[in-house]
Amino acid sequence: MRMSFGLLFRTAKGRWMAKLSRQCSRGSIELFVPQSPPLDPEKVKEFQRFITLSKRLLVMTGAGISTESGIPDYRSEKVGLYARTDRRPIQHRDFVRSAPIRQWYWARNFVGWPHFSSHQPNPAHWALSNWERLGKLYWLVTQNVDALHTKAGSQRLTELHGCMHRVLCLDCGEQTPRRVLQERFEVLNPTWSAEAHGLAPDGDVFLTEEQVQSFRVPSCSRCGGPLKPDVVFFGDTVNPATVDFVHKRVKEADSLLVVGSSLQVYSGYKFILTAWEKKLPIAILNIGPTRSDDLASLKLDSRCGELLPLIDPR
Ligand SMILES: [Zn+2]
């Protein structure tokens, strides 16, 4: 499947405009959600029993919960980024040590931001936020950086890998909203225009070397240090205090549900091991195999946005 979105940027009355071709509005489900078998009523009943018996449920979500919002995951067969493209995530070490790599990263991120930040929660995010409101969900841990749980109103939430909607200064640690940085980019690059081909739905874009080299990147307005999205890039480690916090929540929980994660990333997988060692019942809702299928008492190969709203959390 060709993923070119024919993005064109122009300044009009001093504002940046994005023209996304019609492909963008095509059904996200068709584009990024792997095929799954029809819902099995017996499995749904079993899952309902699992949720009804849980009094302190910890839910861990991954990229699979956001594919129905139009954000592709990395690892799904046929529809994931690894399967469709040769793009690979940026490495933490490269970002920190190289100003040209940061410039390249931010130029693409600037172009992709209006699209990436416009994604909205889907019925799975809304269901989990509702479970929290009704006292069913004890804690929510997400590996996603798309802010969709926050947009759906979840509060008892740990974003294990940070969030793209925040920016962090690598020197002084100050956090600022990503939208403020977008305004600073616009001020610093008033004549910069780019015709970018192949905008990926995750906000990644392709630019020529020339375009990147003329892009100006602001630094921290407090100390002048380099700015980075407040996310854990590949090759970096999750803050130990955050890991410790989540381990405590897992130990306080009485059951664990994984939603939309293949658990290939170790930072998420180790919490499943903790739950398993504590003999907590584990359910996994994910299309396709996961690293922990053999630890789960219940495995469901269904779409998150189709199954979760069917469950009564009371
Ligand atoms: Zn700073």
Side-chain angles (χ1 to χ4, degrees):
M1 185 182 297
R2 208 171 115 78
M3 294 305 296
S4 169
F5 286 84
L7 177 78
L8 187 70
F9 266 80
R10 278 188 190 156
T11 46
K13 292 178 188 166
R15 300 296 301 169
W16 288 95
M17 304 261 296
K19 288 184 182 174
L20 302 175
S21 81
R22 224 175 284 156
Q23 271 172 296
C24 253
S25 57
R26 272 173 52 189
S28 311
I29 289 174
E30 172 198 346
L31 283 177
F32 311 121
V33 183
Q35 293 209 330
S36 57
L39 279 180
D40 173 354
E42 281 310 309
K43 280 263 188 175
V44 176
K45 269 191 215 164
E46 230 182 299
F47 186 42
Q48 176 68 65
R49 263 198 303 276
F50 180 92
I51 297 300
T52 303
L53 289 172
S54 304
K55 300 301 172 205
R56 291 166 80 81
L57 175 69
L58 188 134
V59 178
M60 188 150 108
T61 67
I65 194 174
S66 293
T67 52
E68 290 169 61
S69 291
I71 302 174
D73 65 12
Y74 284 112
R75 294 183 176 80
S76 282
E77 272 185 44
K78 294 181 187 164
V79 292
L81 283 183
Y82 288 169
R84 285 190 293 104
T85 74
D86 57 5
R87 290 191 297 114
R88 294 296 177 266
I90 188 158
Q91 297 291 317
H92 177 79
R93 201 177 50 167
D94 297 337
F95 187 94
V96 168
R97 74 179 172 189
S98 162
I101 285 180
R102 287 196 294 274
Q103 183 186 36
W104 164 83
Y105 176 90
W106 279 123
R108 302 199 312 172
N109 190 276
F110 167 68
V111 175
W113 180 252
H115 179 62
F116 180 78
S117 60
S118 71
H119 289 294
Q120 293 302 317
N122 66 58
H125 298 99
W126 291 111
L128 292 178
S129 142
N130 189 39
W131 291 11
E132 177 185 321
R133 202 168 49 79
L134 295 170
K136 170 59 67 179
L137 189 143
Y138 176 60
W139 204 262
L140 178 59
V141 182
T142 188
Q143 300 172 307
N144 300 339
V145 296
D146 53 30
L148 293 186
H149 286 302
T150 305
K151 285 182 181 176
S154 289
Q155 291 179 359
R156 299 177 67 83
L157 169 70
T158 298
E159 292 168 318
L160 200 56
H161 297 152
C163 182
M164 276 293 194
H165 289 246
R166 290 187 305 267
V167 175
L168 184 71
C169 170
L170 283 172
D171 285 352
C172 77
E174 178 160 83
Q175 285 187 354
T176 46
R178 173 63 183 80
R179 61 178 164 74
V180 173
L181 181 60
Q182 193 74 2
E183 289 161 13
R184 296 185 68 199
F185 281 138
E186 288 170 8
V187 170
L188 272 180
N189 300 278
T191 58
W192 196 81
S193 69
E195 192 175 334
H197 294 287
L199 172 74
D202 59 348
D204 204 356
V205 291
F206 300 97
L207 300 172
T208 65
E209 230 174 285
E210 218 182 329
Q211 286 168 328
V212 171
Q213 279 170 6
S214 64
F215 187 72
R216 295 181 62 201
V217 180
S219 49
C220 173
S221 44
R222 195 164 82 175
C223 79
L227 299 175
K228 174 181 169 291
D230 188 13
V231 300
V232 179
F233 283 144
F234 280 72
D236 191 11
T237 50
V238 178
N239 181 339
T242 306
V243 174
D244 195 45
F245 179 87
V246 174
H247 271 298
K248 281 191 181 123
R249 299 292 87 78
V250 173
K251 285 173 185 166
E252 290 160 0
D254 70 354
S255 51
L256 192 146
L257 168 65
V258 176
V259 177
S261 173
S262 57
L263 299 167
Q264 292 303 317
V265 179
Y266 188 73
S267 59
Y269 174 66
K270 64 187 169 192
F271 299 120
I272 311 302
L273 289 179
T274 301
W276 185 70
E277 281 157 15
K278 267 210 74 197
K279 301 192 167 49
L280 299 190
I282 298 170
I284 299 178
L285 165 56
N286 185 67
I287 301 172
T290 81
R291 197 174 180 178
S292 301
D293 283 358
D294 54 338
L295 307 182
S297 52
L298 183 59
K299 169 74 201 299
L300 304 122
D301 278 86
S302 302
R303 282 205 293 115
C304 310
E306 187 180 14
L307 180 56
L308 292 182
L310 295 178
I311 300 302
D312 183 353
R314 281 161 295 189

